[in-house]
Amino acid sequence: MTDVEYPTAPAPSTAMQALDRLIGTWTVTGGAEGEVRYEWMPGRFFLLQHVRLDQGGHEVTGMEVIGHLRPFAEPAGEDIVSRFYDSAGNTLDYTYELDGDTLTIWAGPAGSPAYFRGTFTADGTSLDGEWTYPGGGGYASTMTRV
């Protein structure tokens, strides 16, 4: 058996580390009601979100994996992206951007016409924002740390 040397994994990006403020359990109110929970996957390269919401009378349960794409030990991609998997068999892709206290979650690539934009309170216990959809749709949403 030969010794195989594996490249040393880089440290998680500063942008990923900044999402640490999401860690924990949050109550969601507004156009969707329920609870979400964020936790780090070991290594802190990926953030996991567990979702249990009621949106317009429809139960939404699922899990989202958030991080930089880095296929087969290639350099990590610049954007923080995610894929959400729900109990109805849907997969949804998002792009995360955190600029100061403002979190934008684009539905699909950055710059998409569908997105969430919210602002954290100074004490980090609440994120208040709104989902915006093409054609003027959307809804207000507030996450409050439990």
Side-chain angles (χ1 to χ4, degrees), residues 43-112:
R44 297 175 62 102
F45 288 95
F46 297 98
L47 189 61
L48 305 176
Q49 179 186 195
H50 305 273
V51 174
R52 186 182 47 77
L53 298 171
D54 180 291
Q55 188 171 18
H58 300 286
E59 181 180 45
V60 178
T61 59
M63 185 181 92
E64 183 176 21
V65 180
I66 305 161
H68 295 282
L69 293 179
R70 190 174 138 221
F72 306 107
E74 303 255 335
E78 187 175 320
D79 290 337
I80 294 176
V81 297
S82 75
R83 175 154 288 171
F84 177 76
Y85 303 88
D86 76 13
S87 58
N90 298 303
T91 58
L92 305 171
D93 294 330
Y94 296 94
T95 302
Y96 278 65
E97 291 181 350
L98 181 60
D99 183 13
D101 289 332
T102 301
L103 176 65
T104 304
I105 304 170
W106 303 98
S112 165

Side-chain angles (χ1 to χ4, degrees), residues 29-44:
T29 57
E33 307 273 331
E35 189 174 274
V36 297
R37 179 174 49 88
Y38 292 89
E39 65 180 330
W40 286 113
M41 190 171 155
R44 297 175 62 102

